[in-house]
Structures are given as C-alpha cells and as structure tokens.
Amino acid sequence: MRVFLCEKPSQAKDVATALGLARSRKDGYFSDGNQAVVWALGHLLSQANPEFYQPELARGKQGWQTSLLPIVPQKWQMELADPKKDAGRYKQAMNVKKLLKQATEVVIATDNDREGETIAVELMEYFGYSGPSKRMLYSSMDAKSLKKALNSMKDGKETYSDYIAGLGRMRADWLFGMNMTMALTSSNKKMLVQGDVLSAGRVQSPIVYLVVKRELEIKNFVPIPFYKFDADFVKPQTCEKYSGSLKIRPEFLDEKTGYFMDQEKVKTLLEELKTGKTGTITKYSSDEKSEKPPLGYSLSLLQKECSKRFGFSAKKTLEVAQKLYETHKLTTYPRSDCGYMDTNQFVDAPSILNIINSNFGNQDYGKLLGNTDAKRKSPMWNTAKVTAHHAIIPTITQKSVQQLSKDELNVYDLICKRYLMQFMPDYKSTKVSIETKVVNDIFPTSGNTTIDMGWKDADPKMKASNKSVPVLKKGEEVDVKKIKERKEETKPPLSYTEDVLLDDLVNIRRFIENEKLKKIIKDAGIGTEATRANHLDNVEKKGYIKRSGKKLLPTEKAYALMEVL
C-alpha cells in the first residue's frame, strides 16, 4: 500500500481529493485499500523531559538543583502523547502506526520545509518504517498544483537532510531551553512567586533582550542640543524660490558627539553668513531615475506590512495567510523566507492576472490590470535566488472576494497587488541636486518630480513625489532672502512595534559584535518565518512582554530575567 503522510487534516483532505480518495474516509485517514492518506496533528511526538534522563530532578525536595545540571542526553528519546491526557493525539499516532506497518511505500506530503519533513520522518523512524519513500513538493493547495506535484515527486533520500536539520534545531532548543530555564529558576528562587519560572530560550531570550535593551536606551537617554542652519533663495530672473540646509564644516562639529553644539561658534557663523547677499550655484544636476518594483512577499515582509497597515500581530497575519492558502486555496505557501520566483512559473502569469481580475471584479483592479504586461519580467523572477519556498503569490483559484472576511480580503489584496506590481512599468522620476555657496559654506538642496507612477499605482498609500526646484546652472547667482539657525535635540529611539522587531530578528547580525559569529549567522536571522510569530506570542504569554497600543514593552519580569542572564 502507498501511504501519504500529511501534516494536518485539511492538507490530507486536499491530497485525498487529488488522488480520488475523498469518498473513502475512515476514522482518522482516507483509504481505498491500495492507497491511503493519513495525517499528523503537527508534531505527534515530543522530546522526553529532563526527568527521563535524570530521575533525581523529579524526586522530593531536590527539584531543579544546579548540581544536577547540565542534562545532555547521550541517546535522545521521543515520546507519544499520554493516552489518558491527550487521547486524540495518541489515537491519531496509532492510525499512522497501523498504516506504516502496511505501507510498501510512503509519500511525505507534509509542508515542504524543514519542520514538515521532521514531522513526517520522525514518525517513520519512531514506528520503524524502513521501506522506500518519496517526497511530494508543492506550494499551492489547489487541485491542479497537487496533481502536478503527484507527477513530479522526489526520492525521499533527497530531502532527508531537512529532517536532520530539523532534529538539530529541536535538540538545540531543548539543550538551551531546558538547562537554562532550570538553572536560572533554581538560582533565583527568592525573587520568584512560588510555582513561577525564569524561562529561557534560544530565540525567546534574544527577543526579550532586544525589547529590554531598547526601553533601557529610552529611559537612560540624555538629549543633546545641536544647531542647524537653513537658507531661503530666490532665482532673480523668475522669482522662483527654493531652500537649503547648511552642510556644516568639520571644524564646527563636536569631536565626541559629531554635532554642532558650540553657541559661540553658532553666533560667529550666523554673522558671517548674513554678510552674503547672494549665493553661487556650485553644483546643479538633473537625472532621470527609474525604480523597479519591490520583490514578492516573504512571510516576515507580509507580517511587517500587515502590522503597519492593519495593526495585525505576526501571529494573526500568519493565521490569515494560512487560511488563504489552506482553506480558500487563493495564495501559495505562506511560511516562505524568500521574495523570488522560479522563472519556470512565469508562464502562469497571464492566468493569474486574469483570475485576480475575476476574483475582485471591480473597476479599480480593472484599471491596474490595464497597466500590466504579462510579458514584462521584474527582478522577482530569479530561479537562482529561490530558497526552499518561493514568494507568496496568488494562485489560479477562482473565488469571489465577497466570500472572504475583512481581514482575509486585506491580506489577499496586498498579495495580489504585490504580484501586479511585477508586471507594471518602473516608477520614473527626475532627481535634482543643487549646491548653493554663501560666503564660505555650502547649502545642499534636492528636488524630485514624478514622471510616471508605474508600479506605485498599485499601492494607494504611494503618492506622487514632487518637490519642485528652479532650473539653474553652475556659476549662476541667486538672491539670499533669509538665513536662520534652528535649535534641535537628539531624540531617543522609539519603543519597539512588531514590524520593527520582526525586522531586527531577520537582521539580528546588526547586534552581533563578534565577527566570527556574525559570519556564521550571515543573513539567516534568528527564528524562522514559520516560528517567529509563535515566539512573539510565547514571550507575551509568559509575561515578559506587554502591549500598549502598537508598542511592545518589557515587564518587570523581563528586566529581572535580563539582569540575571
């Protein structure tokens, strides 16, 4: 019997439908005797607790004594759910076991990533399956994509390394999280309410650290006063006005802060500048600039966008994106860390653009689609840069958007418009740079005029950028109408919001000073597209972070944790 092993019930239903087994539903799986589709419920297995390896941890008053730590398993043990405490998970594991015993071949049909591979293969190894295996690869849950995946499966050995990587991640989490949590808690009992723990985690702790660090920077911030100079100019022939801000000479800047702070020097410079009644153009350049559309959405980019636009948490964005993928079949796999697409999928563009038009069926989308060219290939189409998953894009599933909830519609709209942008003209503008010399100092000015909105028309928040400046030429003189000083103060950093925190987790190397460690982590970030939302939710549930509007703020418990860490 060929057995398809899926990650969740809805996934199994879609695979069973593609195989023609939808009407062969049993209690916990689909089967016609020759083929079967069975599902897990996420991870049906869990790693054994520290007490399994060190029984003394559970005995009497010893508890989590640091003398018993660290616990480093020599032979790792996985466990099934307790049939008395979690009968549903245990029963489903038994369904998997029964079918694996009958299997002549297993098809891994879980999500196409490290976690999905681990969910399937850990069950195969736990229940002793050693026969042949295949890997089903797909990014969309619509019937056409699944049938295509059934005809292009890989040998299971080709993706086995994803399982090894998944085990490495799980064991690293266990070793760090279990040992550090036990050590911190047992060493700091006096500061804790009875029954509470100081929880640490390989990703969780850096998240708490970043939020605490940011708030400490805000609390300890001492503003630095500094000065700027502005000038207003007029082109005498046409009376056109423009302004510039002084490029301050190095000798006026404070050595420690790099700011212009000395009041006496401010006074001296102002008096000098006011003697200049005319300014001379020392630089004038006008260049037409062209801007390509942004890449497709990865999950973290989509989460950041939804946080800014709709106030969604990372978890909510993932839940909505998952529903668009799994339930409505309108978008591709959401847990992607990539904004690129395989060029082989470029041929689907006309069909997808037509489906978008059909699904929305409104005048606004019709106008946008009228400005697309399905033959135009943006930088998003780059096979070499596609990782385990391509960008999140619309599918060819036909469904009116009126069937979606408001949140689903908002996210689907973002994904569709980002896809449309790839087939729209570049944004074009004219950039002007001017430098005006007054006495001995330079006042730079920049101008911008939009020529063609191009792909920016697909984003209602994008506006034409127009800051007009007169046409000038090098050596020309202009009138100086006013020069004034402006006193400002340095400002503290802003409290974290979820979109900014997500960006820092993706770019965690910014906070790493050790060059060797920075090279190791490269562009990987901390956490994954699939897990960051859960980590953020977890630190909130554990009482380390609280929300105030869009702000993420540390609790007293978070400050205490960072102090002892």
Side-chain angles (χ1 to χ4, degrees):
M1 181 191 290
R2 180 187 250 188
V3 175
F4 289 76
L5 187 47
C6 296
E7 192 164 324
K8 63 203 90 165
S10 60
Q11 193 178 55
K13 183 181 177 182
D14 290 329
V15 172
T17 300
L19 290 167
L21 297 178
R23 295 185 179 181
S24 304
R25 174 86 184 239
K26 313 294 181 186
D27 186 11
Y29 59 96
F30 298 86
S31 179
D32 64 358
N34 296 315
Q35 296 189 105
V37 181
V38 66
W39 59 87
L41 298 167
H43 285 278
L44 287 176
L45 298 170
S46 59
Q47 296 183 86
N49 286 322
E51 291 82 1
F52 175 85
Y53 306 103
Q54 180 62 276
E56 288 87 349
L57 289 169
R59 290 178 188 164
K61 294 182 179 180
Q62 268 200 297
W64 291 348
Q65 294 299 313
T66 52
S67 61
L68 300 173
L69 305 178
I71 309 302
V72 183
Q74 298 306 301
K75 185 179 179 182
W76 291 82
Q77 180 67 32
M78 301 297 286
E79 294 180 336
L80 288 168
D82 187 324
K84 293 180 180 179
K85 294 179 180 179
D86 196 343
R89 297 184 76 80
Y90 179 81
K91 181 182 177 183
Q92 195 57 25
M94 292 301 101
N95 281 330
V96 174
K97 179 182 180 180
K98 178 179 73 174
L99 290 169
L100 287 178
K101 295 294 182 188
Q102 299 174 40
T104 54
E105 182 182 66
V106 170
V107 176
I108 301 166
T110 49
D111 287 346
N112 305 330
D113 56 18
R114 183 180 66 184
E115 210 63 25
E117 195 78 13
T118 306
I119 285 168
V121 180
E122 67 185 7
L123 286 167
M124 292 158 65
E125 294 201 344
Y126 186 83
F127 291 125
Y129 177 79
S130 57
S133 65
K134 289 278 197 304
R135 207 338 160 175
M136 189 174 167
L137 299 168
Y138 54 89
S139 61
S140 306
M141 295 300 294
D142 58 279
K144 183 180 177 182
S145 297
L146 291 175
K147 286 176 181 175
K148 183 179 177 181
L150 287 168
N151 294 322
S152 56
M153 293 190 288
K154 285 187 174 183
D155 190 292
K157 292 176 183 176
E158 292 185 51
T159 55
Y160 187 75
S161 60
D162 288 340
Y163 165 61
I164 298 302
L167 277 186
R169 194 276 305 162
M170 286 167 55
R171 291 174 181 177
D173 282 349
W174 192 100
L175 285 167
F176 185 95
M178 290 293 188
N179 282 293
M180 288 296 288
T181 297
M182 289 189 290
L184 286 168
T185 303
S186 60
S187 300
N188 297 279
K189 288 178 183 176
K190 291 180 181 179
M191 66 181 285
L192 295 169
V193 177
Q194 188 172 1
D196 198 4
V197 298
L198 276 179
S199 174
R202 189 174 57 87
V203 178
Q204 170 192 301
S205 296
I207 289 174
V208 178
Y209 164 77
L210 290 177
V211 177
V212 167
K213 178 176 179 287
R214 175 63 59 88
E215 288 306 309
L216 287 175
E217 287 173 355
I218 294 169
K219 287 181 179 179
N220 298 326
F221 182 80
V222 178
I224 299 171
F226 64 95
Y227 293 87
K228 289 185 174 182
F229 286 83
D230 299 318
D232 294 334
F233 304 105
V234 174
K235 181 178 179 178
Q237 298 92 331
T238 61
C239 296
E240 292 173 279
K241 299 176 182 178
Y242 71 100
S243 58
S245 293
L246 176 67
K247 182 180 180 181
I248 298 169
R249 284 180 265 161
E251 60 262 33
F252 287 121
L253 300 177
D254 181 78
E255 287 185 10
K256 290 183 179 178
T257 65
Y259 289 106
F260 190 9
M261 302 169 61
D262 191 312
Q263 287 184 332
E264 287 302 314
K265 288 182 180 179
V266 168
K267 186 178 178 182
T268 301
L269 181 58
L270 186 60
E271 288 175 356
E272 182 184 324
L273 288 168
K274 283 185 175 179
T275 64
K277 301 303 179 185
T278 60
T280 304
I281 305 303
T282 57
K283 177 187 174 183
Y284 182 88
S285 64
S286 178
D287 299 304
E288 189 173 307
K289 302 288 183 181
S290 185
E291 188 179 333
K292 300 287 183 188
L295 297 176
Y297 281 120
S298 64
L299 177 59
S300 58
L301 281 177
L302 183 62
Q303 287 169 323
K304 284 161 58 181
E305 195 80 17
C306 289
S307 174
K308 284 191 286 189
R309 291 180 186 250
F310 316 126
F312 288 3
S313 67
K315 185 179 181 184
K316 180 171 182 178
T317 300
L318 177 55
E319 287 172 350
V320 174
Q322 189 71 26
K323 200 165 183 186
L324 288 171
Y325 162 70
E326 208 171 279
T327 305
H328 299 297
K329 317 289 190 292
L330 285 169
T331 57
T332 57
Y333 184 68
R335 290 177 168 86
S336 174
D337 63 349
C338 177
Y340 292 94
M341 293 295 300
D342 193 316
T343 51
N344 290 333
Q345 293 173 278
F346 188 71
V347 294
D348 298 329
S351 299
I352 294 175
L353 292 173
N354 285 333
I355 286 293
I356 291 172
N357 189 31
S358 172
N359 288 351
F360 280 91
N362 64 40
Q363 193 175 357
D364 290 341
Y365 258 89
K367 288 178 182 177
L368 292 175
L369 284 156
N371 200 23
T372 62
D373 179 356
K375 295 178 182 177
R376 184 180 282 118
K377 192 172 281 188
S378 73
M380 180 182 79
W381 304 96
N382 190 329
T383 303
K385 293 189 176 182
V386 175
T387 56
H389 303 284
H390 59 65
I392 306 167
I393 65 168
T395 66
I396 55 171
T397 298
Q398 193 159 16
K399 178 180 280 193
S400 170
V401 294
Q402 293 178 355
Q403 298 178 50
L404 304 179
S405 70
K406 182 181 177 182
D407 291 342
E408 291 165 354
L409 176 57
N410 281 335
V411 177
Y412 182 54
D413 180 59
L414 281 181
I415 294 168
C416 287
K417 283 180 176 169
R418 183 60 71 101
Y419 189 78
L420 255 61
M421 289 176 187
Q422 312 306 317
F423 305 95
M424 298 175 75
D426 293 351
Y427 169 75
K428 291 180 181 177
S429 63
T430 300
K431 305 280 185 184
V432 178
S433 294
I434 304 171
E435 287 187 357
T436 309
K437 187 176 182 181
V438 179
V439 189
N440 297 310
D441 289 277
I442 299 293
F443 288 80
T445 303
S446 62
N448 185 80
T449 303
T450 295
I451 299 171
D452 184 351
M453 284 293 285
W455 59 265
K456 290 193 177 186
D457 273 332
D459 186 341
K461 295 209 169 184
M462 295 282 188
K463 294 180 180 178
S465 176
N466 291 312
K467 181 188 174 185
S468 60
V469 292
V471 176
L472 298 161
K473 58 185 178 182
K474 191 174 179 180
E476 188 174 348
E477 288 194 347
V478 294
D479 295 333
V480 180
K481 286 298 176 184
K482 185 190 287 184
I483 291 180
K484 56 193 173 186
E485 91 239 26
R486 176 160 43 100
K487 186 178 181 181
E488 294 191 1
E489 285 187 339
T490 55
K491 292 179 173 59
L494 298 173
S495 295
Y496 268 117
T497 53
E498 200 157 289
D499 58 303
V500 178
L501 182 55
L502 281 168
D503 187 61
D504 280 350
L505 294 179
V506 172
N507 298 289
I508 198 70
R509 63 187 179 281
R510 296 170 184 164
F511 302 90
I512 300 173
E513 294 179 5
N514 183 298
E515 289 302 320
K516 183 180 178 183
L517 296 180
K518 189 175 284 193
K519 285 179 182 177
I520 289 171
I521 203 162
K522 294 181 182 176
D523 298 326
I526 193 162
T528 67
E529 303 293 320
T531 63
R532 289 186 191 111
N534 286 335
H535 284 304
L536 290 173
D537 189 52
N538 197 29
V539 293
E540 190 175 355
K541 285 179 178 176
K542 289 182 176 179
Y544 293 114
I545 288 177
K546 59 187 177 183
R547 293 178 185 267
S548 176
K550 286 189 175 183
K551 293 180 182 178
L552 297 177
L553 302 173
T555 62
E556 290 304 315
K557 187 178 178 183
Y559 286 113
L561 175 65
M562 285 303 109
E563 192 173 327
V564 298
L565 273 179

